[in-house]
């Protein structure tokens, strides 16, 4: 049971309702990769948590939408990074939400299983390999050595490495929110 109860639309104040509408009616709703609401219409996952602080929540959800729907990283690189973060933080909701997306964007079942287990998948692409190395380094070492950084810049470019590190930070923040407030995937 989550520490913060789901907030149905009828119980929201004006600021919460504006945030709810932005999430439930924005890019995430058009994508339909996973349900955004429960049977009572309350947002699920990190989105319900964000309603409790709508001013901050709006900034957070806008960053997430920008990373997920308007970034320059390939979908496979982005989803691999998200799954690495989910494993690192042991965040079941992130796994539940993003493993199907990873499969849809071309990751194999074996690659997804390896990421879940915290082992290096067979990637067969220089951008994925470089992204894996830089994500693993920042997650596990809290830094990136010059060799890993250089390979990431060569394979992805400076702009995409900045975006990739932002993805890692953003989904790490969401994992911390969900772990703190004991948010689990729906049944």
């Amino acid at each position: 049971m989550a520490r913060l109860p789901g907030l149905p639309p009828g119980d929201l104040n004006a600021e919460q309702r504006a945030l709810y509408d932005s999430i439930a009616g924005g890019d995430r709703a058009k994508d339909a990769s996973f349900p955004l609401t429960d049977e009572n219409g309350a947002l699920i996952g990190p989105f319900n948590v964000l309603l409790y602080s709508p001013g901050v929540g709006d900034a957070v959800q806008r960053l997430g939408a920008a990373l997920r729907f308007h970034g320059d990283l390939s979908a496979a690189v982005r989803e691999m990074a998200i799954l690495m973060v989910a494993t690192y933080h042991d965040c079941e909701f992130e796994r539940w939400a993003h493993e199907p997306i990873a499969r849809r964007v071309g990751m194999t079942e074996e690659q997804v299983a390896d990421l879940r287990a915290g082992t290096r998948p067979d990637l067969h692409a220089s951008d994925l390999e470089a992204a894996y190395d830089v994500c693993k380094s920042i997650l596990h070492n809290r830094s990136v050595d010059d060799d890993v950084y250089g390979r990431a810049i060569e394979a992805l470019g400076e702009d995409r490495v900045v975006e990739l590190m932002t993805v890692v930070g953003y989904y790490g923040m969401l994992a911390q929110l969900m772990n703190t407030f004991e948010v689990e995937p729906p049944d």
Side-chain angles (χ1 to χ4, degrees):
M1 181 79 178
R3 288 180 167 163
L4 296 174
L7 298 171
D11 294 350
L12 304 177
N13 66 34
E15 194 177 17
Q16 290 170 321
R17 184 59 199 224
L19 175 56
Y20 179 99
D21 291 343
S22 186
I23 293 168
D27 288 326
R28 290 175 187 91
K30 295 173 197 157
D31 177 60
S33 292
F34 55 88
L36 296 173
T37 60
D38 66 14
E39 64 279 353
N40 299 315
L43 292 172
I44 63 169
F47 308 115
N48 183 67
V49 173
L50 296 177
L51 288 176
Y52 281 86
S53 181
V56 171
D58 185 52
V60 170
Q61 76 85 20
R62 283 186 286 118
L63 174 58
L67 291 169
R68 186 120 180 270
F69 302 106
H70 305 288
D72 292 324
L73 284 174
S74 75
V77 166
R78 183 190 65 242
E79 294 304 319
M80 180 185 68
I82 294 167
L83 293 180
M84 291 177 75
V85 170
T87 295
Y88 180 79
H89 289 283
D90 193 24
C91 184
E92 194 58 36
F93 187 94
E94 277 181 354
R95 286 188 195 104
W96 171 83
H98 287 275
E99 284 181 352
I101 299 169
R103 289 181 195 99
R104 191 178 75 224
V105 301
M107 296 197 82
T108 67
E109 191 60 47
E110 293 78 21
Q111 289 170 324
V112 170
D114 286 344
L115 291 169
R116 181 180 268 269
T119 59
R120 183 186 188 94
D122 195 5
L123 296 168
H124 303 296
S126 62
D127 62 337
L128 287 168
E129 290 172 352
Y132 179 90
D133 291 342
V134 77
C135 289
K136 182 171 177 81
S137 183
I138 199 64
L139 287 168
H140 294 275
N141 303 328
R142 295 188 229 9
S143 65
V144 178
D145 70 35
D146 289 342
D147 181 54
V148 170
Y149 177 78
R151 283 186 282 121
I153 294 299
E154 185 177 313
L156 299 167
E158 291 171 332
D159 57 337
R160 287 179 179 87
V161 172
V162 169
E163 185 178 331
L164 179 60
M165 292 299 92
T166 306
V167 166
V168 170
Y170 174 79
Y171 282 92
M173 177 185 58
L174 291 185
Q176 289 174 2
L177 283 171
M178 289 185 279
N179 288 344
T180 299
F181 297 105
E182 299 178 350
V183 175
E184 296 293 327
D187 294 331

